[in-house]
Amino acid sequence: MALPAQGPVEGPCSTPPVHTEDAVTSVHPVDEKLHPSRLVPAALQHIAAMYAGVVTPPLIIGQACGLDIAGRTRLIAASLLIAGVATILQAIGVRQLVGSRLPFVNAASSAGIAPILAIAENNAKGHQLPAIYGAVMVAGAFCLAVGPFFGRLLKYFPPLVTGVVITLIGVTLMPVPVGWAQGGDKTAAGFGSMRNLALAAFTLAVILLIQRFGKGFVKQVALLFGLLIGTLAAPFGMADFRGLASAPVAALPTPFAFGAPVFQPAAILSLCIVMLVLMTESSAGMLALGEICDRRADARTITRGLRTDGLATLLGPVFGGFPTSAFAQNVGVVSLTRVRSRYVVAVAGSALLVLGAFPVLGAVVSLVPMPVLGGAGIVLFGSIAVSGIRTLSEAGLDDSSNIILVAVALGAGIIPLAAPTVYTQFPAWAQTVLGSGISAGAMAAVMLNLFFHHLGTRSSTAPALKSS
């Protein structure tokens, strides 16, 4: 009888066989290069989750600065381009200098919108974007300078502080979509008409219905479907197709197309405060991704990630970009899908680059009527406030000192919204800083946190990371 074939004998000196399957599984999920059949759909899901957030800041800021459709199209293209570059740098990295090497998505943050609108209000038409871009560039340089030491500063930005700021971002931005729902242009004859309000309400209802009855991917992109259906349902004449006809099919953003940057101290201070908040959000996002991906984000990882934020924020205004930070919704996509490959995000960043190189695609977005954008904006900005409330729920509000801190900081942030003329007798620099609810609330939260939890105590509210 033939004896069965025997495998290699295992012993103290034997070498275990190497199986192809084991060799494949030894690659960390973050570094895994997926087959295109999995890579492309996963990348598209990231783009769907973030696209509305990427185009929102240029749409809002362009509208506030009185840009025509061509101008808003250029801003959208620039935001897509900068988002693509920043996302690729984060995912792939450059040696030990730049990039967290995590599936980390970067783009223009909505957190900068409110203070940027305050800067726009304090400058004459035609001089608004140069003042904005000057402040953004200095904020980027500030991020580069502070980034290597930011781990030590995290204890001054616990959930108590960041929760207040994120809540105020959502609350102070809420008048923006309400104005859009009325038509966007206060001087127009139909501003506030029932037709505009009905279209906004219809768009909001579509988003709610998709969110309630949609499944999987459809549910995740409810906002985009709401914008699309609302635009298609808009009465004839509400969507302006002139910008689509005049937009070039392919073109790269022109450096300083809106003028050379102007550096105003008050505007710079306002955006540097916001940059601290964005750095906190990015650090928290990297820490969360490190846990989700089973690859801990240490101080060096966070430093490289923040350096990417700083570079994108510093260089972005050259082409028309705005303050750049993490996109929390994409952290949620990684957590939900469990697809942890950073190459998926790199492909998504490459797609954003392509979108930014074709302004005609940005013109398509600018076709969305203002009332449609208003209905979707209520969901978008309301969700930001909810994120802040969720952060505050983890901040120990059973302590009376924390309750007082949150109450006063929120009050300081809501004052400019409730009484817009309260600071009219203040100097111009103070009006810019205090006139933004986010800046005022952030400063109040940071100072009160120092007063209650740091001055005269040896305890800290959050562990500091070691600087690289």
Side-chain angles (χ1 to χ4, degrees):
M1 178 182 293
L3 294 175
Q6 294 182 357
V9 179
E10 295 185 3
C13 297
S14 63
T15 302
V18 178
H19 298 289
T20 303
E21 186 177 345
D22 294 336
V24 173
T25 57
S26 66
V27 177
H28 195 283
V30 172
D31 300 318
E32 185 180 2
K33 296 181 179 179
L34 303 177
H35 189 274
S37 62
R38 293 181 59 202
L39 183 69
V40 173
L44 290 175
Q45 191 163 235
H46 276 284
I47 294 171
M50 71 179 296
Y51 190 82
V54 175
V55 301
T56 295
L59 277 174
I60 298 174
I61 296 166
Q63 181 75 17
C65 294
L67 297 183
D68 56 12
I69 293 178
R72 295 200 298 272
T73 297
R74 286 199 297 270
L75 285 186
I76 292 169
S79 290
L80 291 168
L81 191 73
I82 299 302
V85 172
T87 299
I88 292 171
L89 284 177
Q90 283 286 18
I92 303 302
V94 178
R95 297 185 179 180
Q96 295 300 314
L97 298 175
V98 177
S100 62
R101 292 183 176 85
L102 290 169
F104 198 54
V105 173
N106 279 65
S109 172
S110 296
I113 293 176
I116 285 175
L117 294 183
I119 296 171
E121 289 177 2
N122 286 298
N123 284 273
K125 187 175 181 180
H127 299 277
Q128 298 163 315
L129 284 173
I132 290 167
Y133 286 139
V136 172
M137 293 181 76
V138 175
F142 173 74
C143 178
L144 287 174
V146 175
F149 314 101
F150 192 70
R152 299 175 182 175
L153 301 177
L154 281 178
K155 64 182 179 180
Y156 301 115
F157 294 88
L160 204 62
V161 173
T162 57
V164 167
V165 175
I166 296 170
T167 302
L168 285 172
I169 290 170
V171 171
T172 58
L173 284 176
M174 196 52 68
V176 174
V178 172
W180 289 347
Q182 297 176 85
D185 185 1
K186 294 182 180 180
T187 62
F191 182 78
S193 66
M194 286 300 299
R195 185 179 74 161
N196 289 341
L197 295 175
L199 182 58
F202 172 77
T203 303
L204 177 58
V206 169
I207 294 171
L208 294 176
L209 288 171
I210 294 174
Q211 191 66 32
R212 171 63 180 85
F213 298 106
K215 303 292 182 182
F217 178 77
V218 173
K219 188 174 183 178
Q220 289 179 351
V221 294
L223 200 67
L224 286 178
F225 275 117
L227 290 171
L228 175 62
I229 296 172
T231 301
L232 293 176
F236 181 77
M238 293 189 72
D240 191 346
F241 290 88
R242 289 173 299 174
L244 185 62
S246 61
V249 175
L252 292 176
T254 304
F256 299 117
F258 300 98
V262 176
F263 303 97
Q264 299 176 349
I268 290 169
L269 175 61
S270 177
L271 284 191
C272 282
I273 291 173
V274 171
M275 200 68 215
L276 284 172
V277 175
L278 296 183
M279 292 168 71
T280 305
E281 288 184 358
S282 281
S283 299
M286 283 182 272
L287 291 169
L289 266 179
E291 295 296 325
I292 294 169
C293 298
D294 297 321
R295 175 176 283 181
R296 182 176 174 271
D298 57 14
R300 289 183 178 84
T301 302
I302 290 177
T303 297
R304 293 196 306 267
L306 293 179
R307 196 171 285 141
T308 308
D309 286 0
L311 281 173
T313 302
L314 173 63
L315 300 178
V318 175
F319 301 101
F322 298 104
T324 300
S325 181
F327 260 43
Q329 56 264 52
N330 292 87
V331 176
V333 171
V334 176
S335 177
L336 182 67
T337 63
R338 302 301 297 173
V339 177
R340 294 171 282 178
S341 172
R342 58 193 174 102
Y343 295 102
V344 168
V345 168
V347 170
S350 302
L352 291 172
L353 272 178
V354 173
L355 291 172
F358 289 89
V360 68
L361 299 175
V364 171
V365 177
S366 66
L367 292 176
V368 179
M370 281 292 126
V372 173
L373 203 59
I378 290 173
V379 178
L380 180 64
F381 299 138
S383 65
I384 296 174
V386 171
S387 297
I389 294 169
R390 184 169 58 241
T391 302
L392 285 173
S393 68
E394 303 170 358
L397 292 183
D398 52 341
D399 183 276
S400 60
S401 297
N402 290 346
I403 294 175
I404 294 296
L405 186 159
V406 173
V408 174
L410 285 176
I414 293 174
I415 283 173
L417 187 64
T421 61
V422 68
Y423 298 119
T424 53
Q425 301 301 315
F426 283 53
W429 65 267
Q431 290 185 42
T432 302
V433 175
L434 297 176
S436 165
I438 296 173
S439 298
M443 288 192 299
V446 170
M447 289 188 293
L448 289 172
N449 181 55
L450 287 172
F451 177 71
F452 282 116
H453 299 299
H454 293 277
L455 294 180
T457 67
R458 293 186 178 181
S459 61
S460 64
T461 55
L465 292 171
K466 293 181 180 179
S467 173
S468 59

